[in-house]
Amino acid sequence: MAVTAKSEQTRRLLIDTALRLFASQGYEKTTMRAVAQEANVSVGNAYYYFRSKDDLLHELYRSLQDEHRSLALPQIREGHNLGENLAVILSTGLTTMEPYHAFGVHFLRDAMSPNRREDDAVGRGKSIAMFRQAVSTARPQPPVAIRDDLPELLWLMHMGITFFWVYDRSPGQRRSHRLAANLAPLVAKLVILSRLPVVRNIMEDVVRLLRGVRRDG
């Protein structure tokens, strides 16, 4: 047990040190050797825990995803409308990532890496589950025809906002926050309007497209 605790302590030390160096001297200039030296850990030991600085970044990205869920889930409550639940998820997501905007593009690259397929599937599943809770607790409930597929569609919207945030150069990324705040109630209204024949047909087309992509994958 003591060995496990010590190992976890060393892992956390390397991650925190890498984060500090990424912020102070940039991701590209930071090397594994520099991280090890700054953390007062041997280079060999650093490589035992992480094969590369990309692995360090990936671990940070995963921890931010977990932090996002821990912030958002307690605020998703039964009886809130879908717009309120979405606003919580989108806002806490941006707040969680805010301190790391300087190397957000590397988070994006990590998320899109083909080498992360298994980890990406786990992270995506947890994130979609968060949107599923937002849908299942919302009142009124979304139409049955799109209810099962809606969490994944909302997750795709969330990823689009994340992409926007990465390249947002406004102070404090306030454009991203404004986009999220305005988009949440708009999407909720569109979901409710999907009960109407014209909007329902469009939403059902979108759902069929999503199912086709999922099936092909």
Side-chain angles (χ1 to χ4, degrees):
M1 188 74 173
V3 174
T4 302
K6 173 73 172 174
S7 297
E8 182 56 35
Q9 186 179 26
T10 303
R11 281 176 61 85
R12 192 67 248 174
L13 173 63
L14 289 168
I15 293 168
D16 291 344
T17 303
L19 176 58
R20 190 167 63 251
L21 291 179
F22 290 161
S24 64
Q25 62 187 35
Y27 180 81
E28 300 298 343
K29 291 182 179 180
T30 300
T31 64
M32 282 293 287
R33 180 174 294 278
V35 172
Q37 289 176 344
E38 184 73 14
N40 199 25
V41 172
S42 72
V43 176
N45 204 21
Y47 276 112
Y48 172 79
Y49 289 100
F50 300 101
R51 292 171 299 177
S52 66
K53 66 179 181 180
D54 284 348
D55 277 0
L56 277 164
L57 185 78
H58 178 66
E59 191 70 21
L60 173 61
Y61 183 55
R62 283 180 57 186
S63 70
L64 288 178
Q65 289 179 307
D66 290 339
E67 183 181 342
H68 177 202
R69 285 189 294 273
S70 69
L71 283 174
L73 287 173
Q75 300 182 59
I76 300 173
R77 300 189 181 95
E78 188 84 30
H80 282 187
N81 65 52
L82 183 58
E84 291 172 316
N85 284 342
L86 287 182
V88 163
I89 294 176
L90 299 180
S91 174
T92 53
L94 291 173
T95 299
T96 301
M97 293 188 299
E98 190 171 335
Y100 313 103
H101 186 262
F103 37 93
V105 67
H106 298 289
F107 285 151
L108 194 62
R109 188 189 68 185
D110 181 84
M112 296 172 64
S113 171
N115 299 324
R116 304 293 188 193
R117 288 182 123 181
E118 188 173 339
D119 280 350
D120 185 51
V122 172
R124 182 171 64 247
K126 288 180 178 179
S127 187
I128 291 173
M130 180 169 54
F131 284 100
R132 187 167 292 113
Q133 181 168 329
V135 170
S136 66
T137 59
R139 297 294 180 270
Q141 276 281 277
V144 174
I146 64 170
R147 198 176 298 166
D148 288 344
D149 296 281
L150 186 57
E152 190 167 353
L153 289 171
L154 296 175
W155 172 78
L156 288 170
M157 176 195 70
H158 167 61
M159 293 305 294
I161 291 174
T162 301
F163 188 89
F164 184 89
W165 170 84
V166 165
Y167 295 101
D168 183 359
R169 296 293 179 261
S170 61
Q173 291 70 59
R174 61 177 172 227
R175 288 193 302 164
S176 297
H177 285 276
R178 187 164 59 244
L179 174 63
N182 291 332
L183 196 55
L186 183 62
V187 168
K189 289 176 185 176
L190 182 61
V191 167
I192 297 303
L193 286 174
S194 66
R195 290 186 168 88
L196 301 176
V198 175
V199 182
R200 182 173 65 239
N201 290 340
I202 295 172
M203 290 296 289
E204 288 176 352
D205 284 344
V206 172
V207 167
R208 276 193 292 272
L209 177 62
L210 174 64
R211 289 174 180 173
V213 171
R214 190 189 296 146
R215 185 171 56 248
D216 292 343

